[in-house]
């Protein structure tokens, strides 16, 4: 075992944070309009002792815009994840032969219908 003093702690960025905003407006017929967005950011991550494997910092923006019908029985919403289409490592497995990296999903968007009972 070597001396690891001064090396960054693996899988632990110095900074990471999340900021989110939500809006929910109840209309006269008891239906609702709602929206939310959040931004997650992190700086560099070292994946192995000795700071051998490093991925850079990144930010990810997600958002939702929706409508809930009266009494919240049905709702429809449009969503977007990773709206800036940032390519970042979800996980890295360092090894002596080759480092394996799993990347997060790219820009993803869609429409969701929900039934609440």
């Amino acid at each position: 075992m070597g001396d690891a003093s001064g090396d960054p702690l693996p899988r632990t960025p110095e900074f990471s944070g999340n900021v989110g905003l939500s809006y929910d407006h109840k209309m006269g017929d008891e239906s609702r309009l709602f929206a939310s967005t959040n931004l997650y950011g992190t700086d560099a991550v070292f994946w192995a002792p000795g700071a051998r494997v490093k991925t850079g910092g990144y930010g990810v923006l997600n958002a939702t815009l929706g409508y809930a019908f009266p009494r919240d029985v049905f709702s429809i919403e449009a969503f977007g994840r990773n709206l800036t289409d940032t390519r970042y490592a979800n996980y890295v497995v360092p090894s002596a032969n080759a480092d394996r990296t799993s990347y997060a999903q790219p820009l993803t968007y869609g429409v969701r219908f929900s039934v609440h009972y």
Side-chain angles (χ1 to χ4, degrees):
M1 283 306 248
D3 182 8
S5 60
D7 286 347
L9 189 61
R11 302 180 188 158
T12 308
E14 282 190 41
F15 167 82
S16 67
N18 189 35
V19 175
L21 297 170
S22 305
Y23 176 76
D24 196 319
H25 177 73
K26 208 169 245 191
M27 309 215 313
D29 64 353
E30 295 187 15
S31 61
R32 295 183 304 113
L33 288 174
F34 55 92
S36 66
T37 185
N38 80 18
L39 174 65
Y40 170 78
T42 185
D43 62 1
V45 174
F46 295 91
W47 293 91
R52 186 182 68 77
V53 181
K54 174 185 175 184
T55 54
Y58 61 89
V60 177
L61 179 65
N62 303 312
T64 301
L65 175 64
Y67 174 79
F69 290 85
R71 297 183 306 280
D72 275 342
V73 175
F74 302 100
S75 65
I76 182 171
E77 61 188 71
F79 66 89
R81 292 188 209 110
N82 193 5
L83 291 171
T84 55
D85 202 20
T86 302
R87 183 178 164 109
Y88 63 96
N90 238 1
Y91 201 79
V92 176
V93 179
S95 73
N97 297 326
D99 301 328
R100 293 177 297 180
T101 304
S102 170
Y103 289 96
Q105 290 186 347
L107 167 66
T108 306
Y109 55 88
V111 176
R112 182 177 12 242
F113 298 93
S114 301
V115 177
H116 309 275
Y117 56 92

